[in-house]
């Protein structure tokens, strides 16, 4: 029996091939070294108010280190399924650490099943403290896995806080505005594997369904395969084409709430019809679990009235996760009964 390896996309799935500057590239070296923070902040403001996405270059993370994390990620996903399932996310309870099998998390559950597998880690804790805070699970057969992925997590925390300083300046706030909201922030370091799809590909099964990210900021490392699609303000899907040596940065729901829709948490998805395995490494940073997020006074005007009520970071984020994870949905349903 022959296998149809040529993908035929549903009419709703193609993305436009647009030049890179449709998702702007921002050189953040002057932000990191302090030589011209305001110039970078100006570029951040344009990017986040128009696309919600940007590439950043000269970010200070050696490409060789990023490559080593991609390598160990591939080796993890190549492990036999029983070994990966020993580290299943459900075994970490609400800390949400560990392995998620294909279709185990669905970001747009009313429309799409996600053809991806994931592995999540976060800030190391000796015991379960509550949602998003607990012990990481590690594969015993890959001893270098924990060292590399956790070191990457720590570097991303530092870079994310620097980018949020630039974001604060872009909003004419004090550079340290986010620090009081991030004394013990929720953060998730994720590894992702997307198998290729062939034949007819519809919206019901794609790499990851259309969604916005849940928190403050996402830092994404892509391989060279491609597949990321970002919706522009006209409702068209635009390819987030990989650019070597850059990270893709986007903001989540909480920054959109904070800015009262001045900044855009944009819809995005992954459709992998390249015939190749796709790997990516997204890092998500939010605020403290009990941090209250509400619109900035400077973003509320007569022409842009207040659009959001206050929400705590943890309640918002955990609610979004509960809708995506089968084991959390079951736990919540049984608790209600």
């Amino acid at each position: 029996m022959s296998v149809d390896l040529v993908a035929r996309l549903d009419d709703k799935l193609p993305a436009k091939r647009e030049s890179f500057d449709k998702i702007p590239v921002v050189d953040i070296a002057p932000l990191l070294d302090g030589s011209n923070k305001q110039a970078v902040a100006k570029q951040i403001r344009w990017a986040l108010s128009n696309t919600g996405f940007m590439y950043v270059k000269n970010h200070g993370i050696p490409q060789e280190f990023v490559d080593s994390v991609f390598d160990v990620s591939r080796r993890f996903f190549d492990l036999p399924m029983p070994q990966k399932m020993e580290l299943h996310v459900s075994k970490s309870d609400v800390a949400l650490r560990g392995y998620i099998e294909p279709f185990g998390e669905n970001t747009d559950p009313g429309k799409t099943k996600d053809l991806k597998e994931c592995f999540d880690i976060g800030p190391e804790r000796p015991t379960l403290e509550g949602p998003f805070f607990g012990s990481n699970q590690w594969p015993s057969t890959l001893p270098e896995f924990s060292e590399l992925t956790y070191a990457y997590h720590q570097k991303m925390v530092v870079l994310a806080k620097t980018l949020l300083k630039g974001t604060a300046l872009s909003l004419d706030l004090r550079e340290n505005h986010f620090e009081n909201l991030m004394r013990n922030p929720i953060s998730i370091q994720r590894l992702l594997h997307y198998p290729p799809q062939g034949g007819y590909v519809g919206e019901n099964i794609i790499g990851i369904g259309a969604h916005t990210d849940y928190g403050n900021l996402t830092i994404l490392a892509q391989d060279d395969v491609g597949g990321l699609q970002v919706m522009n303000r006209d409702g068209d899907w635009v390819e987030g084409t990989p650019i070597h040596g850059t990270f893709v940065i986007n903001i989540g729901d909480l920054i959109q709430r904070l800015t009262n829709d001045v900044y855009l948490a944009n819809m995005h998805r992954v459709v992998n019809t390249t015939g190749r395995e796709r790997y990516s490494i997204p890092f998500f940073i939010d605020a403290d679990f009990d941090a209250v997020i509400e619109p900035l006074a400077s973003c509320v005007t007569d022409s842009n009235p207040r659009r959001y009520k206050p929400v705590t970071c943890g309640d918002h984020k955990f609610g979004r996760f509960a809708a995506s994870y089968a084991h959390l949905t079951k736990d919540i349903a049984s608790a209600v009964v």
Side-chain angles (χ1 to χ4, degrees):
M1 183 176 69
S2 64
V3 178
D4 186 356
L5 295 178
V6 178
R8 301 190 307 278
L9 291 177
D10 182 277
D11 290 342
K12 297 178 181 178
L13 289 179
K16 292 183 176 180
R17 293 184 179 274
E18 305 238 3
S19 59
F20 294 158
D21 62 0
K22 296 298 180 180
I23 299 175
V25 180
V26 178
D27 183 346
I28 63 168
L31 176 65
L32 268 63
D33 64 23
S35 61
N36 199 342
K37 297 179 182 179
Q38 290 297 337
V40 177
K42 183 177 180 180
Q43 295 177 69
I44 290 174
R45 184 177 182 90
W46 190 95
L48 299 186
S49 60
N50 286 282
T51 70
F53 275 72
M54 59 185 176
Y55 299 94
V56 297
K57 65 179 183 178
N58 295 325
H59 44 67
I61 309 297
Q63 186 62 45
E64 296 79 8
F65 178 65
V66 178
D67 291 343
S68 70
V69 181
F70 270 110
D71 178 67
V72 79
S73 173
R74 293 185 188 97
R75 285 188 283 142
F76 171 78
F77 288 119
D78 283 343
L79 291 174
M81 182 59 76
Q83 289 188 34
K84 292 183 287 190
M85 290 299 287
E86 289 176 1
L87 306 171
H88 193 264
V89 66
S90 61
K91 297 182 179 181
S92 72
D93 203 326
V94 294
L96 299 175
R97 309 288 177 82
Y99 176 70
I100 303 104
E101 74 280 16
F103 309 128
E105 177 199 61
N106 295 295
T107 52
D108 189 10
K111 182 184 293 184
T112 303
K113 294 179 68 176
D114 291 355
L115 183 57
K116 68 181 192 299
E117 54 180 341
C118 325
F119 191 87
D120 287 355
I121 69 169
E124 189 64 77
R125 296 291 188 270
T127 59
L128 179 65
E129 296 179 0
F132 308 111
F133 290 96
S135 300
N136 290 304
Q137 302 190 78
W138 302 114
S140 59
T141 55
L142 291 175
E144 66 275 34
F145 181 89
S146 60
E147 179 180 354
L148 281 169
T149 57
Y150 199 73
Y152 188 88
H153 172 274
Q154 297 301 86
K155 288 181 182 294
M156 290 298 106
V157 169
V158 174
L159 178 59
K161 289 184 176 181
T162 300
L163 289 167
L164 285 169
K165 288 181 180 179
T167 303
L169 291 173
S170 77
L171 292 164
D172 297 322
L173 302 170
R174 295 190 310 275
E175 183 178 342
N176 64 353
H177 174 82
F178 288 97
E179 290 181 7
N180 290 336
L181 300 173
M182 301 177 67
R183 293 185 173 91
N184 185 27
I186 299 168
S187 62
I188 297 174
Q189 180 61 64
R190 168 164 281 194
L191 309 175
L192 276 165
H193 168 228
Y194 297 94
Q197 290 183 258
Y200 174 76
V201 180
E203 283 187 288
N204 60 317
I205 297 178
I206 56 175
I208 186 169
H211 67 287
T212 59
D213 287 347
Y214 308 154
N216 276 352
L217 189 77
T218 302
I219 303 174
L220 173 69
Q222 300 191 85
D223 64 10
D224 63 351
V225 172
L228 173 66
Q229 299 182 357
V230 179
M231 181 179 284
N232 66 20
R233 285 196 180 271
D234 295 325
D236 296 322
W237 291 101
V238 177
E239 288 191 358
T241 309
I243 304 177
H244 184 72
T246 68
F247 292 122
V248 178
I249 310 298
N250 65 281
I251 55 171
D253 298 338
L254 293 181
I255 295 293
Q256 180 162 333
R257 282 176 169 269
L258 185 78
T259 63
N260 203 40
D261 290 356
V262 173
Y263 285 1
L264 177 67
N266 215 339
M267 296 286 284
H268 53 287
R269 65 189 182 188
V270 170
V271 182
N272 181 18
T273 55
T274 63
R276 299 169 59 193
E277 310 291 320
R278 180 183 191 265
Y279 298 87
S280 67
I281 309 173
F283 168 81
F284 309 94
I285 197 163
D286 309 308
D288 296 342
F289 192 91
D290 59 356
V292 177
I293 307 297
E294 59 184 322
L296 295 163
S298 59
C299 293
V300 179
T301 63
D302 290 343
S303 59
N304 187 35
R306 186 184 182 99
R307 300 170 186 269
Y308 300 102
K309 296 179 180 179
V311 65
T312 62
C313 171
D315 286 345
H316 170 78
K317 190 175 180 79
F318 192 71
R320 292 290 302 269
F321 268 79
S324 298
Y325 281 84
H327 76 279
L328 290 181
T329 303
K330 292 176 183 176
D331 289 345
I332 292 171
S334 62
V336 171
V337 173

